[in-house]
Every structure is written in structure tokens, then in C-alpha cells.
Amino acid sequence: LIIVLVVTVPGIIPGTISAAFRKKLKEEGHAFSVNDFVLKAVAKALRRHPEILVSLDGEQIIRRAHVNLGMAVALDTGLIVPVIRDADLLSLEALSATAKDLAERARTNQLGADEYKGSTFTVSTLGMFGVESFTPIINQPDAAILGVNCTEDELVMEDDGTIAKHQVMRISLTFDHRLLDGAVAAKFEMAVRELLEHPMDILLGGANTMATEIKMPQLGLTMEEGTVERWLKAEGDPVKAGEPLLEITTDKLTNQVEAEADGILLKIV
């Protein structure tokens, strides 16, 4: 008789990805679902906490090197779990496209045998069905699975005592206690929560993405100083290479500074 202790840890994510935030991105040509953000947040959190990427082979613990995300897809005949391989290395755009392609081909029975094998962690989403809470079942041989519930409006008391409406999302992390301690699982769940609370961190893209500092351009042979007259983009706005970012004024002219590459305006200092 083998007794396996499985634990589910619920979590609440306040201020999660809002419809207004996603609408703003869509207007700029970047259409993402809440599930896209969740998948990317989980992939980044797993890379930060590789201790979650383990499995049990007999009595031996196997450590997995790759973030291969299983994505539970509901079919009329049951569940199937296609796998997004090396999800942590994909940009949000690439991950979103891969997830949509796998889900569509899963529903039409067009997946290859290798496309639903080799997961190292699984995400199961029931939020689209209005589910407020559930206990996801671990997809063996993974050590854990994250359940994602619906986003709801809740009244929250602010620090100044006023009442305001906030969107919250509930998640449920089920893990195998033979492989993971509660503190390890809690730290991973916290990392997912922090990323979803700050979606700009998710938008930074793949593992090799780096921030680029915007510097004052050379405006002339004798022009050494200028004043930022106004920013043409706000923090969080997507920008494309060659697109005007800000206006700089000197004592002789006003000039626009263009973005050197595609990306997100992360912070104005």
C-alpha cells in the first residue's frame, strides 16, 4: 500500500490583469487573453524556482531541466494535456500563438503523439466556466499543477478606509508532498501572484529580454543640453521601432526622439 500525500494551497491575486489593460494592448496590435498572461507568469516563475520541476521515478527524484508547460484542454471525451515546450524561452506573443494552435488541434484530434508528452508542470483553467474554486489533480509524473479560477469583482477596504471595487483571481496549487515542501510550493505560488499583479513584468518577454535605456540624442555640434517637453507614450505603452517616444526642446529647436526597437515603455524617470 502506497500512500501519497497531496496538498492543495489556495491563493488570491488582487488587482490581476484587467480588461482595460488588455484592451489597451489590443488597440496597439497585441491581443492577449488572461490565460496567455497566466501561462507566461507560470513559465517565468518556474524558471525562478526550478525546484518545482521534479518527478518521482520509483524511489529516485528526477530533476527536470526544461519548463515544458502542460495545458489542460477539455474535450467532449475528457481532458487532454498538450505541452508547450521551453515555455520560459518564448515571448508572450509566441507563447500565446503556440497555446492557441495546440488547443485548436487538440479539439480537432490533430495532435501528434509527442505533443502531449513530456510536461514538467501543468496549468488547468476553469475560469471561463465561472468556476470560483476547484482542486486540480496532478498530471503525473509532474510534481504540481496550478488551477486557475474565474476573475471576480470584490469590494476591498483601502488604506484610507474607503471602499473600492477590485478584480481578484483565485488560484489553487496542488503539489505532491513527497517531492515538495509546503514552503517551497508557497514561494512558487507567491512568485506567480506577484507577476500577475504586475503584468508589465510579464510583458518583458522571454528569458533573454533586456531593458534598453533611452538616452538624449546628439542634436547638433554645439547642443549639449535639452529639456524633455513631453512624452508621447505613457508607462506601459507598447512601442515600435521608429515610433516617436518624446519631444526634446533646446534653445533653437524642438526634436522628437524615436524608439530604437520594438518593446514596452517600462518606466519614465
Side-chain angles (χ1 to χ4, degrees), residues 97-155:
T98 301
K100 288 181 175 65
D101 173 63
L102 288 172
E104 289 173 3
R105 290 193 291 117
R107 295 187 182 101
T108 55
N109 196 29
Q110 294 180 3
L111 287 178
D114 291 340
E115 290 182 298
Y116 51 86
K117 295 180 180 179
S119 69
T120 54
F121 188 90
T122 301
V123 176
S124 179
T125 304
L126 293 180
M128 72 285 288
F129 300 112
V131 175
E132 298 178 4
S133 179
F134 73 105
T135 299
I137 304 301
I138 296 173
N139 180 39
Q140 298 291 340
D142 299 352
I145 182 173
L146 186 75
V148 182
N149 303 293
C150 64
T151 300
E152 299 178 292
D153 290 331
E154 288 192 359
L155 296 180

Short mmCIF file of all heavy atoms in Angstrom, two decimals, residues 97-155:
data_model
loop_
_atom_site.label_atom_id
_atom_site.label_comp_id
_atom_site.label_asym_id
_atom_site.label_seq_id
_atom_site.Cartn_x
_atom_site.Cartn_y
_atom_site.Cartn_z
N ALA A 97 0.51 32.27 -29.33
CA ALA A 97 0.25 31.62 -30.61
C ALA A 97 0.37 30.10 -30.48
O ALA A 97 -0.45 29.35 -31.04
CB ALA A 97 1.22 32.14 -31.67
N THR A 98 1.38 29.64 -29.74
CA THR A 98 1.57 28.20 -29.55
C THR A 98 0.41 27.58 -28.78
O THR A 98 -0.09 26.50 -29.13
CB THR A 98 2.88 27.93 -28.80
OG1 THR A 98 3.98 28.48 -29.54
CG2 THR A 98 3.11 26.44 -28.62
N ALA A 99 -0.04 28.27 -27.72
CA ALA A 99 -1.15 27.76 -26.91
C ALA A 99 -2.43 27.65 -27.75
O ALA A 99 -3.16 26.65 -27.67
CB ALA A 99 -1.37 28.66 -25.71
N LYS A 100 -2.71 28.67 -28.53
CA LYS A 100 -3.92 28.66 -29.38
C LYS A 100 -3.85 27.53 -30.41
O LYS A 100 -4.83 26.82 -30.65
CB LYS A 100 -4.09 30.01 -30.08
CG LYS A 100 -4.52 31.14 -29.16
CD LYS A 100 -4.70 32.44 -29.95
CE LYS A 100 -5.25 33.56 -29.06
NZ LYS A 100 -4.30 33.94 -28.01
N ASP A 101 -2.68 27.37 -31.02
CA ASP A 101 -2.52 26.32 -32.03
C ASP A 101 -2.71 24.93 -31.43
O ASP A 101 -3.43 24.09 -31.98
CB ASP A 101 -1.13 26.44 -32.66
CG ASP A 101 -0.82 25.28 -33.60
OD1 ASP A 101 -1.53 25.14 -34.63
OD2 ASP A 101 0.11 24.51 -33.30
N LEU A 102 -2.09 24.68 -30.27
CA LEU A 102 -2.21 23.37 -29.63
C LEU A 102 -3.65 23.10 -29.20
O LEU A 102 -4.15 21.97 -29.36
CB LEU A 102 -1.27 23.29 -28.42
CG LEU A 102 0.22 23.18 -28.72
CD1 LEU A 102 1.03 23.32 -27.43
CD2 LEU A 102 0.55 21.86 -29.40
N ALA A 103 -4.32 24.11 -28.64
CA ALA A 103 -5.70 23.93 -28.18
C ALA A 103 -6.63 23.62 -29.35
O ALA A 103 -7.49 22.72 -29.27
CB ALA A 103 -6.17 25.17 -27.44
N GLU A 104 -6.47 24.34 -30.47
CA GLU A 104 -7.32 24.11 -31.63
C GLU A 104 -7.10 22.72 -32.22
O GLU A 104 -8.06 22.01 -32.56
CB GLU A 104 -7.04 25.18 -32.70
CG GLU A 104 -7.54 26.57 -32.32
CD GLU A 104 -7.10 27.64 -33.30
OE1 GLU A 104 -6.45 27.28 -34.32
OE2 GLU A 104 -7.40 28.82 -33.07
N ARG A 105 -5.84 22.29 -32.31
CA ARG A 105 -5.56 20.98 -32.88
C ARG A 105 -5.93 19.86 -31.91
O ARG A 105 -6.25 18.74 -32.34
CB ARG A 105 -4.10 20.89 -33.30
CG ARG A 105 -3.78 21.76 -34.52
CD ARG A 105 -2.44 21.46 -35.15
NE ARG A 105 -1.34 21.87 -34.30
CZ ARG A 105 -0.46 21.04 -33.78
NH1 ARG A 105 -0.54 19.73 -34.01
NH2 ARG A 105 0.53 21.49 -33.03
N ALA A 106 -5.90 20.15 -30.60
CA ALA A 106 -6.35 19.15 -29.63
C ALA A 106 -7.84 18.88 -29.79
O ALA A 106 -8.30 17.73 -29.73
CB ALA A 106 -6.05 19.63 -28.21
N ARG A 107 -8.61 19.95 -30.02
CA ARG A 107 -10.07 19.81 -30.14
C ARG A 107 -10.47 19.13 -31.45
O ARG A 107 -11.58 18.60 -31.55
CB ARG A 107 -10.73 21.18 -30.02
CG ARG A 107 -10.55 21.83 -28.64
CD ARG A 107 -11.36 23.10 -28.51
NE ARG A 107 -11.14 23.73 -27.21
CZ ARG A 107 -10.34 24.76 -26.99
NH1 ARG A 107 -9.68 25.31 -28.01
NH2 ARG A 107 -10.19 25.25 -25.78
N THR A 108 -9.60 19.16 -32.45
CA THR A 108 -9.92 18.53 -33.73
C THR A 108 -9.13 17.23 -33.93
O THR A 108 -9.03 16.72 -35.05
CB THR A 108 -9.63 19.50 -34.89
OG1 THR A 108 -8.27 19.96 -34.80
CG2 THR A 108 -10.56 20.69 -34.84
N ASN A 109 -8.54 16.73 -32.83
CA ASN A 109 -7.83 15.46 -32.84
C ASN A 109 -6.69 15.44 -33.87
O ASN A 109 -6.50 14.47 -34.60
CB ASN A 109 -8.81 14.31 -33.12
CG ASN A 109 -8.22 12.95 -32.76
OD1 ASN A 109 -7.36 12.85 -31.87
ND2 ASN A 109 -8.64 11.91 -33.45
N GLN A 110 -5.93 16.54 -33.92
CA GLN A 110 -4.84 16.64 -34.89
C GLN A 110 -3.46 16.72 -34.23
O GLN A 110 -2.48 17.05 -34.88
CB GLN A 110 -5.04 17.88 -35.78
CG GLN A 110 -6.28 17.78 -36.67
CD GLN A 110 -6.45 19.00 -37.54
OE1 GLN A 110 -5.62 19.91 -37.53
NE2 GLN A 110 -7.53 19.03 -38.31
N LEU A 111 -3.38 16.42 -32.93
CA LEU A 111 -2.10 16.47 -32.25
C LEU A 111 -1.29 15.21 -32.53
O LEU A 111 -1.83 14.11 -32.61
CB LEU A 111 -2.30 16.59 -30.73
CG LEU A 111 -2.78 17.92 -30.18
CD1 LEU A 111 -2.97 17.81 -28.67
CD2 LEU A 111 -1.80 19.04 -30.49
N GLY A 112 0.03 15.39 -32.65
CA GLY A 112 0.91 14.24 -32.74
C GLY A 112 1.13 13.65 -31.35
O GLY A 112 0.92 14.31 -30.33
N ALA A 113 1.56 12.40 -31.31
CA ALA A 113 1.71 11.71 -30.03
C ALA A 113 2.71 12.41 -29.11
O ALA A 113 2.53 12.44 -27.89
CB ALA A 113 2.16 10.27 -30.27
N ASP A 114 3.74 12.99 -29.67
CA ASP A 114 4.77 13.66 -28.86
C ASP A 114 4.32 15.02 -28.33
O ASP A 114 5.00 15.58 -27.46
CB ASP A 114 6.05 13.86 -29.69
CG ASP A 114 6.75 12.54 -29.98
OD1 ASP A 114 6.48 11.57 -29.25
OD2 ASP A 114 7.54 12.48 -30.94
N GLU A 115 3.20 15.52 -28.82
CA GLU A 115 2.78 16.87 -28.44
C GLU A 115 1.99 16.89 -27.12
O GLU A 115 1.68 17.97 -26.62
CB GLU A 115 1.95 17.51 -29.56
CG GLU A 115 2.78 17.85 -30.78
CD GLU A 115 1.98 18.53 -31.87
OE1 GLU A 115 1.02 17.91 -32.39
OE2 GLU A 115 2.31 19.69 -32.22
N TYR A 116 1.67 15.75 -26.58
CA TYR A 116 1.04 15.72 -25.25
C TYR A 116 1.83 14.82 -24.29
O TYR A 116 1.28 14.20 -23.39
CB TYR A 116 -0.44 15.33 -25.30
CG TYR A 116 -0.77 14.08 -26.05
CD1 TYR A 116 -0.73 12.83 -25.45
CD2 TYR A 116 -1.16 14.14 -27.39
CE1 TYR A 116 -1.05 11.68 -26.14
CE2 TYR A 116 -1.48 12.99 -28.10
CZ TYR A 116 -1.42 11.77 -27.46
OH TYR A 116 -1.74 10.62 -28.15
N LYS A 117 3.16 14.78 -24.50
CA LYS A 117 4.05 14.04 -23.61
C LYS A 117 5.18 14.96 -23.15
O LYS A 117 5.55 15.90 -23.85
CB LYS A 117 4.64 12.83 -24.32
CG LYS A 117 3.63 11.76 -24.71
CD LYS A 117 4.30 10.60 -25.41
CE LYS A 117 3.30 9.53 -25.81
NZ LYS A 117 3.96 8.40 -26.53
N GLY A 118 5.73 14.66 -21.98
CA GLY A 118 6.93 15.35 -21.54
C GLY A 118 6.71 16.63 -20.75
O GLY A 118 7.63 17.43 -20.60
N SER A 119 5.51 16.84 -20.21
CA SER A 119 5.29 18.05 -19.40
C SER A 119 6.08 17.97 -18.10
O SER A 119 6.34 16.89 -17.58
CB SER A 119 3.80 18.23 -19.08
OG SER A 119 3.36 17.23 -18.18
N THR A 120 6.48 19.14 -17.59
CA THR A 120 7.14 19.19 -16.28
C THR A 120 6.32 19.98 -15.27
O THR A 120 6.67 20.05 -14.10
CB THR A 120 8.55 19.81 -16.41
OG1 THR A 120 8.46 21.09 -17.07
CG2 THR A 120 9.47 18.91 -17.22
N PHE A 121 5.23 20.60 -15.73
CA PHE A 121 4.28 21.31 -14.87
C PHE A 121 3.04 21.52 -15.71
O PHE A 121 3.10 21.62 -16.94
CB PHE A 121 4.85 22.67 -14.43
CG PHE A 121 4.01 23.37 -13.39
CD1 PHE A 121 4.24 23.18 -12.04
CD2 PHE A 121 2.98 24.23 -13.77
CE1 PHE A 121 3.47 23.81 -11.08
CE2 PHE A 121 2.20 24.87 -12.81
CZ PHE A 121 2.46 24.67 -11.46
N THR A 122 1.87 21.57 -15.05
CA THR A 122 0.62 21.69 -15.79
C THR A 122 -0.23 22.84 -15.24
O THR A 122 -0.23 23.11 -14.04
CB THR A 122 -0.19 20.38 -15.72
OG1 THR A 122 0.60 19.32 -16.27
CG2 THR A 122 -1.49 20.48 -16.51
N VAL A 123 -0.94 23.51 -16.15
CA VAL A 123 -1.90 24.55 -15.79
C VAL A 123 -3.28 24.11 -16.27
O VAL A 123 -3.45 23.73 -17.43
CB VAL A 123 -1.53 25.90 -16.44
CG1 VAL A 123 -2.60 26.95 -16.13
CG2 VAL A 123 -0.16 26.37 -15.95
N SER A 124 -4.26 24.17 -15.37
CA SER A 124 -5.64 23.84 -15.70
C SER A 124 -6.52 25.05 -15.40
O SER A 124 -6.56 25.54 -14.27
CB SER A 124 -6.11 22.63 -14.87
OG SER A 124 -7.45 22.30 -15.18
N THR A 125 -7.21 25.54 -16.42
CA THR A 125 -8.01 26.76 -16.29
C THR A 125 -9.49 26.45 -16.43
O THR A 125 -9.92 25.92 -17.46
CB THR A 125 -7.59 27.79 -17.36
OG1 THR A 125 -6.20 28.05 -17.25
CG2 THR A 125 -8.36 29.09 -17.19
N LEU A 126 -10.26 26.80 -15.40
CA LEU A 126 -11.72 26.64 -15.45
C LEU A 126 -12.43 27.97 -15.27
O LEU A 126 -13.65 28.02 -15.11
CB LEU A 126 -12.18 25.65 -14.36
CG LEU A 126 -11.75 24.19 -14.53
CD1 LEU A 126 -12.29 23.35 -13.39
CD2 LEU A 126 -12.20 23.64 -15.87
N GLY A 127 -11.65 29.05 -15.29
CA GLY A 127 -12.24 30.37 -15.08
C GLY A 127 -13.28 30.75 -16.11
O GLY A 127 -14.26 31.44 -15.81
N MET A 128 -13.10 30.28 -17.36
CA MET A 128 -14.06 30.62 -18.42
C MET A 128 -15.44 30.01 -18.18
O MET A 128 -16.42 30.43 -18.78
CB MET A 128 -13.52 30.19 -19.78
CG MET A 128 -13.52 28.71 -20.04
SD MET A 128 -12.20 27.83 -19.15
CE MET A 128 -10.77 28.36 -20.09
N PHE A 129 -15.53 29.03 -17.25
CA PHE A 129 -16.81 28.42 -16.91
C PHE A 129 -17.41 29.03 -15.64
O PHE A 129 -18.40 28.53 -15.12
CB PHE A 129 -16.63 26.91 -16.71
CG PHE A 129 -16.12 26.20 -17.93
CD1 PHE A 129 -14.85 25.65 -17.94
CD2 PHE A 129 -16.90 26.09 -19.07
CE1 PHE A 129 -14.37 24.99 -19.06
CE2 PHE A 129 -16.43 25.44 -20.20
CZ PHE A 129 -15.15 24.89 -20.20
N GLY A 130 -16.78 30.09 -15.14
CA GLY A 130 -17.30 30.75 -13.94
C GLY A 130 -16.97 30.03 -12.66
O GLY A 130 -17.57 30.32 -11.61
N VAL A 131 -16.03 29.09 -12.70
CA VAL A 131 -15.66 28.31 -11.50
C VAL A 131 -14.87 29.20 -10.54
O VAL A 131 -13.88 29.81 -10.92
CB VAL A 131 -14.84 27.07 -11.89
CG1 VAL A 131 -14.35 26.34 -10.65
CG2 VAL A 131 -15.67 26.15 -12.77
N GLU A 132 -15.32 29.25 -9.29
CA GLU A 132 -14.67 30.10 -8.29
C GLU A 132 -13.57 29.38 -7.54
O GLU A 132 -12.65 30.01 -7.02
CB GLU A 132 -15.72 30.61 -7.30
CG GLU A 132 -16.79 31.48 -7.94
CD GLU A 132 -17.84 31.93 -6.94
OE1 GLU A 132 -17.68 31.61 -5.74
OE2 GLU A 132 -18.80 32.60 -7.34
N SER A 133 -13.66 28.04 -7.46
CA SER A 133 -12.64 27.28 -6.72
C SER A 133 -12.73 25.82 -7.10
O SER A 133 -13.83 25.28 -7.26
CB SER A 133 -12.84 27.44 -5.21
OG SER A 133 -11.89 26.69 -4.49
N PHE A 134 -11.58 25.18 -7.29
CA PHE A 134 -11.55 23.74 -7.53
C PHE A 134 -10.17 23.19 -7.15
O PHE A 134 -9.22 23.94 -6.99
CB PHE A 134 -11.90 23.39 -8.98
CG PHE A 134 -10.82 23.72 -9.99
CD1 PHE A 134 -10.03 22.72 -10.55
CD2 PHE A 134 -10.60 25.03 -10.40
CE1 PHE A 134 -9.06 23.00 -11.49
CE2 PHE A 134 -9.62 25.33 -11.35
CZ PHE A 134 -8.84 24.32 -11.89
N THR A 135 -10.10 21.89 -7.00
CA THR A 135 -8.85 21.23 -6.65
C THR A 135 -8.34 20.48 -7.89
O THR A 135 -8.88 19.43 -8.24
CB THR A 135 -9.05 20.24 -5.49
OG1 THR A 135 -9.51 20.95 -4.34
CG2 THR A 135 -7.74 19.54 -5.15
N PRO A 136 -7.33 21.00 -8.56
CA PRO A 136 -6.80 20.32 -9.74
C PRO A 136 -6.04 19.05 -9.36
O PRO A 136 -5.43 18.98 -8.29
CB PRO A 136 -5.86 21.37 -10.36
CG PRO A 136 -5.43 22.21 -9.20
CD PRO A 136 -6.59 22.25 -8.25
N ILE A 137 -6.11 18.06 -10.21
CA ILE A 137 -5.45 16.77 -9.99
C ILE A 137 -4.11 16.78 -10.73
O ILE A 137 -4.04 17.12 -11.91
CB ILE A 137 -6.31 15.59 -10.47
CG1 ILE A 137 -7.69 15.65 -9.78
CG2 ILE A 137 -5.62 14.27 -10.16
CD1 ILE A 137 -7.66 15.59 -8.28
N ILE A 138 -3.05 16.39 -10.03
CA ILE A 138 -1.70 16.41 -10.61
C ILE A 138 -1.64 15.52 -11.85
O ILE A 138 -2.13 14.40 -11.85
CB ILE A 138 -0.66 15.95 -9.58
CG1 ILE A 138 -0.61 16.94 -8.41
CG2 ILE A 138 0.73 15.83 -10.21
CD1 ILE A 138 0.28 16.48 -7.26
N ASN A 139 -1.04 16.06 -12.89
CA ASN A 139 -0.81 15.33 -14.14
C ASN A 139 0.53 14.58 -14.01
O ASN A 139 1.58 15.15 -14.20
CB ASN A 139 -0.78 16.32 -15.31
CG ASN A 139 -0.54 15.64 -16.64
OD1 ASN A 139 -1.05 14.55 -16.89
ND2 ASN A 139 0.24 16.28 -17.50
N GLN A 140 0.46 13.32 -13.64
CA GLN A 140 1.68 12.53 -13.43
C GLN A 140 2.52 12.45 -14.71
O GLN A 140 1.96 12.38 -15.79
CB GLN A 140 1.31 11.12 -12.96
CG GLN A 140 0.57 11.07 -11.65
CD GLN A 140 1.45 11.47 -10.47
OE1 GLN A 140 2.67 11.43 -10.55
NE2 GLN A 140 0.82 11.87 -9.37
N PRO A 141 3.86 12.51 -14.60
CA PRO A 141 4.66 12.46 -13.37
C PRO A 141 5.05 13.83 -12.81
O PRO A 141 6.01 13.93 -12.06
CB PRO A 141 5.90 11.71 -13.83
CG PRO A 141 6.11 12.19 -15.23
CD PRO A 141 4.72 12.38 -15.79
N ASP A 142 4.34 14.90 -13.19
CA ASP A 142 4.65 16.23 -12.66
C ASP A 142 4.52 16.23 -11.14
O ASP A 142 3.80 15.41 -10.55
CB ASP A 142 3.71 17.29 -13.23
CG ASP A 142 3.82 17.41 -14.74
OD1 ASP A 142 4.72 16.79 -15.32
OD2 ASP A 142 2.98 18.11 -15.34
N ALA A 143 5.19 17.20 -10.49
CA ALA A 143 5.11 17.31 -9.04
C ALA A 143 3.99 18.23 -8.60
O ALA A 143 3.60 18.23 -7.43
CB ALA A 143 6.44 17.83 -8.47
N ALA A 144 3.46 19.05 -9.55
CA ALA A 144 2.46 20.03 -9.14
C ALA A 144 1.62 20.45 -10.35
O ALA A 144 2.00 20.23 -11.51
CB ALA A 144 3.13 21.25 -8.52
N ILE A 145 0.48 21.07 -10.05
CA ILE A 145 -0.41 21.60 -11.07
C ILE A 145 -1.06 22.86 -10.51
O ILE A 145 -1.37 22.93 -9.31
CB ILE A 145 -1.48 20.56 -11.47
CG1 ILE A 145 -2.39 21.13 -12.58
CG2 ILE A 145 -2.31 20.12 -10.27
CD1 ILE A 145 -3.36 20.06 -13.13
N LEU A 146 -1.26 23.86 -11.37
CA LEU A 146 -1.91 25.11 -10.95
C LEU A 146 -3.30 25.17 -11.55
O LEU A 146 -3.48 25.05 -12.77
CB LEU A 146 -1.10 26.32 -11.40
CG LEU A 146 -1.64 27.67 -10.89
CD1 LEU A 146 -1.31 27.84 -9.41
CD2 LEU A 146 -1.05 28.83 -11.70
N GLY A 147 -4.30 25.35 -10.68
CA GLY A 147 -5.66 25.56 -11.13
C GLY A 147 -5.99 27.05 -11.14
O GLY A 147 -5.68 27.76 -10.19
N VAL A 148 -6.60 27.51 -12.22
CA VAL A 148 -6.91 28.94 -12.38
C VAL A 148 -8.42 29.11 -12.43
O VAL A 148 -9.11 28.51 -13.27
CB VAL A 148 -6.27 29.51 -13.67
CG1 VAL A 148 -6.56 31.00 -13.78
CG2 VAL A 148 -4.77 29.25 -13.68
N ASN A 149 -8.94 29.92 -11.52
CA ASN A 149 -10.38 30.15 -11.41
C ASN A 149 -10.77 31.44 -12.11
O ASN A 149 -9.93 32.12 -12.69
CB ASN A 149 -10.78 30.18 -9.94
CG ASN A 149 -10.38 28.92 -9.21
OD1 ASN A 149 -10.90 27.85 -9.46
ND2 ASN A 149 -9.41 29.04 -8.30
N CYS A 150 -12.05 31.79 -12.03
CA CYS A 150 -12.53 32.99 -12.71
C CYS A 150 -12.08 34.26 -11.99
O CYS A 150 -11.69 34.25 -10.82
CB CYS A 150 -14.05 32.96 -12.80
SG CYS A 150 -14.90 33.02 -11.21
N THR A 151 -12.12 35.36 -12.73
CA THR A 151 -11.84 36.68 -12.18
C THR A 151 -13.15 37.30 -11.71
O THR A 151 -14.14 37.31 -12.45
CB THR A 151 -11.17 37.58 -13.23
OG1 THR A 151 -9.94 36.98 -13.65
CG2 THR A 151 -10.88 38.96 -12.68
N GLU A 152 -13.16 37.83 -10.49
CA GLU A 152 -14.38 38.38 -9.91
C GLU A 152 -14.14 39.79 -9.37
O GLU A 152 -13.00 40.15 -9.04
CB GLU A 152 -14.87 37.50 -8.76
CG GLU A 152 -15.21 36.08 -9.14
CD GLU A 152 -15.63 35.27 -7.93
OE1 GLU A 152 -14.79 35.01 -7.06
OE2 GLU A 152 -16.82 34.93 -7.85
N ASP A 153 -15.22 40.54 -9.29
CA ASP A 153 -15.16 41.86 -8.65
C ASP A 153 -15.46 41.70 -7.16
O ASP A 153 -16.42 41.02 -6.78
CB ASP A 153 -16.20 42.81 -9.26
CG ASP A 153 -15.84 43.21 -10.69
OD1 ASP A 153 -14.63 43.24 -11.00
OD2 ASP A 153 -16.75 43.48 -11.49
N GLU A 154 -14.62 42.31 -6.33
CA GLU A 154 -14.84 42.28 -4.89
C GLU A 154 -14.64 43.67 -4.30
O GLU A 154 -13.84 44.46 -4.82
CB GLU A 154 -13.88 41.31 -4.20
CG GLU A 154 -14.18 39.85 -4.47
CD GLU A 154 -13.40 38.91 -3.57
OE1 GLU A 154 -12.60 39.42 -2.74
OE2 GLU A 154 -13.58 37.68 -3.69
N LEU A 155 -15.37 43.95 -3.23
CA LEU A 155 -15.21 45.23 -2.53
C LEU A 155 -14.07 45.09 -1.52
O LEU A 155 -14.04 44.15 -0.73
CB LEU A 155 -16.51 45.61 -1.83
CG LEU A 155 -17.71 45.89 -2.75
CD1 LEU A 155 -18.94 46.25 -1.93
CD2 LEU A 155 -17.40 47.00 -3.75
#
